[in-house]
Amino acid sequence: QFAEGLVLLDGRLDYLGTVVLPEPSAAVELIPAPTEAGSGSPFTIVRRSRSAASLAEIKAAIASGRGPGIIRPFDELEFKLDTGEAVTAVCGGYISPTRARFVFKDALGDARMNEDATNEGGYYKSKGRRHVLEEIYPHLPTELREVIEPRPLVETIDGERVEYADPLWIPSGTDVFGPREGWYEEEPDSVQLEIFKTERGRVKERNGETVYWWLRSPRRSLSTDFVYVYADGTVDYAYANTSLAFAPGFDL
């Protein structure tokens, strides 16, 4: 974090009150600015470079345990859906030495978790899950769909443990907030991602405006609701038949 500095992005020098970046890597160059007499603390110019890599190269590096050498938490992948919509996915962290988890940086359009105000059947039987798998996943680039590792998911539905795996999903409450007693049940398939450890990191936009976005966790002790992320990055819950934004994720 650089407080009150100048940032050079795409050839333009901008002043920002606060610049938050991941730890410097080979792609980030820090250049001390000269200090003039009486000018106080020097500014720091931060240059971030862009590099191209094939998904095959990224996947091979991750699978071999060399993933952090090519992509780190907070690094971004840019691509387009076959609808022409530009998407940025952020590396949320490494779930194991050979598996990295990504989440869309911004949100896609609104949809309901269910037609009725119920979380019966959990995420497994929800309309929201079908929306992700049937209306979003098919529009991902073919080369991305070919390298995605389906994520193992676990739910307890009507007292029975249900295990399944999806190539595209929406984050759980634990993915975003960590364990929250009283908000949702224990989620053994989830761990809080590095990118979500601050409220600012949990805020998502669509068309330049902050939005509420669904999580796949049913609200504990309420049969009508699922949990979602409020516009300011805090946790909240809503009836399952409310239309909110979706920000899916995938594993490589």
Side-chain angles (χ1 to χ4, degrees):
Q1 175 169 315
F2 300 88
E4 300 205 337
L6 296 177
V7 181
L8 185 66
L9 295 176
D10 297 328
R12 188 182 70 248
L13 192 63
D14 290 331
Y15 175 85
L16 293 180
T18 300
V19 181
V20 180
L21 295 173
E23 293 183 0
S25 67
V28 179
E29 181 182 4
L30 304 183
I31 305 176
T35 305
E36 296 182 3
S39 64
S41 300
F43 289 105
T44 298
I45 297 175
V46 182
R47 291 192 177 103
R48 299 188 64 184
S49 64
R50 299 165 65 90
S51 60
S54 71
L55 281 174
E57 291 171 332
I58 296 171
K59 179 63 179 287
I62 293 172
S64 67
R66 297 180 293 106
I70 192 170
I71 193 162
R72 295 180 176 185
F74 298 96
D75 285 349
E76 299 175 353
L77 289 177
E78 297 177 346
F79 55 90
K80 285 188 177 182
L81 305 181
D82 66 7
T83 60
E85 184 172 3
V87 171
T88 298
V90 183
C91 179
Y94 281 79
I95 304 309
S96 77
T98 57
R99 181 181 287 249
R101 186 151 290 166
F102 294 79
V103 179
F104 284 24
K105 181 177 181 178
D106 292 315
L108 302 179
D110 292 358
R112 300 178 179 183
M113 286 297 288
N114 277 318
E115 285 297 332
D116 300 320
T118 179
N119 58 32
E120 183 178 359
Y123 179 68
Y124 179 62
K125 295 184 179 180
S126 70
K127 180 182 178 182
R129 181 181 177 227
R130 294 196 304 274
H131 172 69
V132 169
L133 294 176
E134 298 174 7
E135 299 178 38
I136 301 176
Y137 178 69
H139 297 292
L140 296 182
T142 301
E143 57 268 34
L144 177 56
R145 287 186 276 122
E146 289 175 347
V147 297
I148 283 177
E149 293 288 341
R151 176 181 176 175
L153 301 171
V154 179
E155 289 187 77
T156 299
I157 301 174
D158 296 330
E160 296 186 4
R161 180 182 173 93
V162 178
E163 299 183 19
Y164 56 105
D166 285 349
L168 195 69
W169 33 264
I170 55 175
S172 67
T174 304
D175 286 337
V176 177
F177 296 101
R180 284 287 183 97
E181 186 176 352
W183 281 91
Y184 35 81
E185 300 293 344
E186 181 181 357
E187 298 175 312
D189 59 10
S190 304
V191 61
Q192 187 180 26
L193 298 178
E194 189 70 24
I195 59 172
F196 292 134
K197 290 186 176 180
T198 66
E199 287 184 356
R200 173 177 289 231
R202 299 190 286 264
V203 173
K204 296 199 177 295
E205 296 183 352
R206 188 175 64 247
N207 299 325
E209 296 184 359
T210 56
V211 295
Y212 305 158
W213 54 287
W214 278 123
L215 302 177
R216 60 179 174 83
S217 304
R219 176 72 166 96
R220 187 175 184 178
S221 302
L222 285 176
S223 62
T224 56
D225 299 10
F226 280 85
V227 173
Y228 74 89
V229 182
Y230 195 71
D232 63 3
T234 56
V235 64
D236 209 333
Y237 58 95
Y239 288 137
N241 59 351
T242 305
S243 286
L244 301 179
F246 276 66
F250 56 86
D251 286 3
L252 293 181

